[in-house]
Amino acid sequence: YAAALAHSGGRVPEFVNPKYADKARGVLAAPTRIESMLQDIPRLLPDPSAKVSFVLMPRWLCYTPVKNSLKQGAALAERGLPPMTASTGEADLYDANRRLLRLAGMQVEDR
């Protein structure tokens, strides 16, 4: 890690990925932000033979973004996808807490 950090200076490739509200690309659907790709990080390693691994955890334990409007969330939910709205983010947090308490041996009711 230290060698990779020294080699890259802590910088990762970035790009802008605007989301447009219209086909003419005249109106943005949301504020545009700078993004980077996690899969680009191994390319920053100075030694091409460096071993790279990852940890895979269930979504409930590690990933619940709160990034969509209610309208966008409803459309995602209709397609069977996580809505990622403020209300579902809060519900996911409570669900994760219940699961962790159960893993610790507590009896927790769902309501």
Side-chain angles (χ1 to χ4, degrees):
Y1 175 79
L5 191 57
H7 178 74
S8 69
R11 292 179 301 276
V12 296
E14 299 173 328
F15 63 95
V16 176
N17 187 14
K19 308 289 191 273
Y20 294 100
D22 61 348
K23 290 189 179 194
R25 294 182 162 208
V27 178
L28 292 172
T32 301
R33 61 185 183 266
I34 295 175
E35 300 180 26
S36 58
M37 303 288 277
L38 187 59
Q39 58 265 37
D40 286 344
I41 292 179
R43 295 184 182 138
L44 301 175
L45 299 175
D47 180 0
S49 66
K51 294 180 180 179
V52 177
S53 63
F54 66 95
V55 175
L56 181 63
M57 293 186 279
R59 181 184 173 100
W60 69 264
L61 185 59
C62 63
Y63 184 73
T64 300
V66 174
K67 65 180 200 167
N68 293 327
S69 68
L70 290 176
K71 183 178 177 181
Q72 292 168 320
L76 288 167
E78 285 178 14
R79 295 179 10 218
L81 298 170
M84 298 181 281
T85 62
S87 57
T88 59
E90 184 176 13
D92 288 348
L93 174 66
Y94 293 137
D95 177 63
N97 288 338
R98 283 191 304 271
R99 290 176 186 232
L100 291 170
L101 288 169
R102 286 185 186 117
L103 287 171
M106 294 187 70
Q107 291 183 341
V108 180
E109 294 181 22
D110 288 324
R111 293 189 182 209

